[in-house]
Amino acid sequence: MSEPFVIVGGDAAGMSAASKAKREAPDRDVIVFEKGEWVSYAGCGMPYYIKGDVDDLEDLVSVTPEEFREQRDVDLRTGHEVVAIDLEANTVTVEADGERFEQSYGDLLIGTGARAIVPPFDGIDLEGVFTLRSMDQADAIEDYVSDHEPATAAIVGGGYVGVEMAEALDERGVDVSIFEMLPQTLQPFGEETARVVEDHLREQGVDLHLETAVQGFAGSDHVESVELEDDSVSADLVIVGVGVAPNVELAEEAGIEIGETGAIATDAYGRTNDENVYAAGDCAEAENVVTGEPDHVPLALTANRAGRAIGSTVSGDPTETGGTAGTAIVKAFELGAARTGILDDERAREAGFDPVSVTIDTETRPHYYPGATELTVTLVADRASERVLGASLVGPEGTKRIDTVATAVSSGLTVSELQNLDLAYAPPFSPVWDPILTAAKVLQGKLE
């Protein structure tokens, strides 16, 4: 009997790996150590729980701990924290209920995820100041809003969390301000998409403070204001959403290599510099499909897919974890915003490309068919090879069309090849020239 497959971390990557490994090799022991109580949950749904669209926090759980144990035969141990890895002995040290024990492994997966970055702001520990990364934090925010009924909220950071929480808190009757130190919100989505989103946020009553650095928070028993360099803005609630950092300390202390991105370095199969140790999810790097270089893009599908592949690999079927295009979509009140690939000119040039881009405003349906809305499409390509590098979309509907461009980016299609794709057409769904095809047609003209 082979040594067990041991997994550190019970969320997307870890539980996908555990489930796949048990299906492929049902006789092998699979042990998952999770230091918290929640496993296999949809973190992306947390703002919608706070908003009220999701009735119960437990609705965000995909598979319960009991289902993993009883139906999938996974030895899942919640409340168990792995505190050390011994690569020579092939063991992990686990703490639970105040005691320690050693667990041997044949293969080990590190799926320790990422944590919210907490800047050293004055007043960061005041009551009413939160980050949003875990289910417990989501529950705490919801309880605070329900119990204290804040009139004003400040969101520090204009990324995914900031935009989604602005909508959630507005729905709860709170006046929202967003503070972003950069010139725009949604930085990875590009300037054109950010501009459309920002105009819409203002229309919804969100007070935007761009190019504004927060100094800290003030209050007596609880937060009362956000402190800026020359001003103070009232806030009964604060959400700090300035990004995440991969949890690599456990791996690094064991001698696992950390990549240039700050996440755990892995090969195409998710293997680290130790042949028996893998890493996946928000703590690990993945190959960028545009540049071919390691990247750190903490997204749910990337984690799930990598975990599943590693579950196959350790069961005897070597499977690549797949690259990332950084494809993402976010809801901002009545708008959707989506992106994929490389949009930033500077980053494209650093990767050896000569970026050329177009931005068009077009309709999602024929002009004669009711319900058509405007969709803004930005498409980027390399001048020399004409390869599609990335895209960004924003509008009230149709932003899932980003998947078409994500496919083109991942497949290395040229603008001409994208333009010639045979996409579906019917008036209730699209004009004859789909907005993606129209953007490709315009960009092709610019490349000629």
Side-chain angles (χ1 to χ4, degrees), residues 52-296:
D53 288 345
V54 177
D55 292 333
D56 195 300
L57 190 62
E58 292 190 0
D59 291 342
L60 299 180
V61 176
S62 301
V63 183
T64 67
E66 291 73 20
E67 289 171 326
F68 277 114
R69 295 172 185 133
E70 297 170 10
Q71 298 177 18
R72 303 193 181 188
D73 195 25
V74 172
D75 184 357
L76 169 62
R77 308 183 196 181
T78 54
H80 285 62
E81 181 178 6
V82 173
V83 295
I85 301 169
D86 188 330
L87 299 180
E88 292 186 3
N90 280 18
T91 61
V92 295
T93 303
V94 186
E95 281 189 356
D97 298 323
E99 297 186 358
R100 283 193 173 200
F101 65 91
E102 306 293 318
Q103 171 64 55
S104 62
Y105 64 82
D107 296 293
L108 175 69
L109 170 60
I110 301 172
T112 45
R115 62 186 179 278
I117 294 172
V118 182
F121 291 137
D122 291 337
I124 191 72
D125 294 326
L126 283 170
E127 183 184 8
V129 178
F130 298 92
T131 58
L132 179 58
R133 185 66 187 173
S134 70
M135 294 279 272
D136 290 337
Q137 290 169 334
D139 211 22
I141 294 171
E142 202 288 326
D143 285 346
Y144 193 86
V145 173
S146 296
D147 294 344
H148 293 79
E149 298 183 351
T152 57
I155 298 173
V156 183
Y160 302 99
V161 170
V163 169
E164 290 172 344
M165 283 303 299
E167 178 181 342
L169 294 174
D170 178 84
E171 180 69 18
R172 299 292 296 269
V174 184
D175 290 336
V176 178
S177 298
I178 293 178
F179 299 85
E180 171 56 62
M181 67 183 299
L182 298 174
Q184 67 179 63
T185 59
L186 296 177
Q187 187 70 20
F189 288 69
E191 183 179 345
E192 293 81 4
T193 292
R195 175 184 51 78
V196 176
V197 170
E198 288 158 9
D199 288 345
H200 185 63
L201 290 174
R202 293 185 181 100
E203 290 171 0
Q204 299 298 317
V206 176
D207 190 10
L208 288 182
H209 300 259
L210 303 179
E211 297 184 272
T212 303
V214 169
Q215 304 297 310
F217 315 113
S220 50
D221 295 333
H222 55 81
V223 67
E224 297 174 8
S225 65
V226 174
E227 301 302 302
L228 310 177
E229 186 175 358
D230 300 313
D231 198 7
S232 179
V233 179
S234 174
D236 305 317
L237 168 69
V238 170
I239 308 294
V240 179
V242 296
V244 300
N247 294 319
V248 300
E249 292 79 10
L250 177 69
E252 189 171 24
E253 289 172 5
I256 298 298
E257 181 181 344
I258 307 302
E260 291 185 4
T261 69
I264 300 171
T266 61
D267 67 9
Y269 297 90
R271 187 180 281 108
T272 69
N273 58 303
D274 185 292
E275 64 178 358
N276 299 117
V277 180
Y278 300 79
D282 293 356
C283 65
E285 293 182 336
E287 181 182 302
N288 187 293
V289 298
V290 180
T291 67
E293 297 297 322
D295 203 352
H296 180 238

Side-chain angles (χ1 to χ4, degrees), residues 417-442:
E417 289 169 332
L418 175 59
Q419 176 188 327
N420 289 327
L421 289 180
D422 185 18
L423 303 185
Y425 155 65
F429 305 103
S430 172
V432 174
W433 283 92
D434 184 89
I436 297 300
L437 302 183
T438 300
K441 184 169 58 173
V442 175

Side-chain angles (χ1 to χ4, degrees), residues 310-365:
I310 291 167
S312 291
T313 297
V314 301
S315 302
D317 179 19
T319 304
E320 294 190 2
T321 56
T324 178
T327 307
I329 191 167
V330 63
K331 184 176 182 293
F333 290 88
E334 304 305 318
L335 289 181
R339 58 94 59 217
T340 192
I342 293 180
L343 292 160
D344 182 70
D345 283 356
E346 183 177 349
R347 187 179 181 197
R349 292 190 183 98
E350 288 175 354
F353 300 110
D354 181 10
V356 181
S357 66
V358 295
T359 298
I360 65 166
D361 295 318
T362 186
E363 292 193 332
T364 55
R365 306 177 195 182

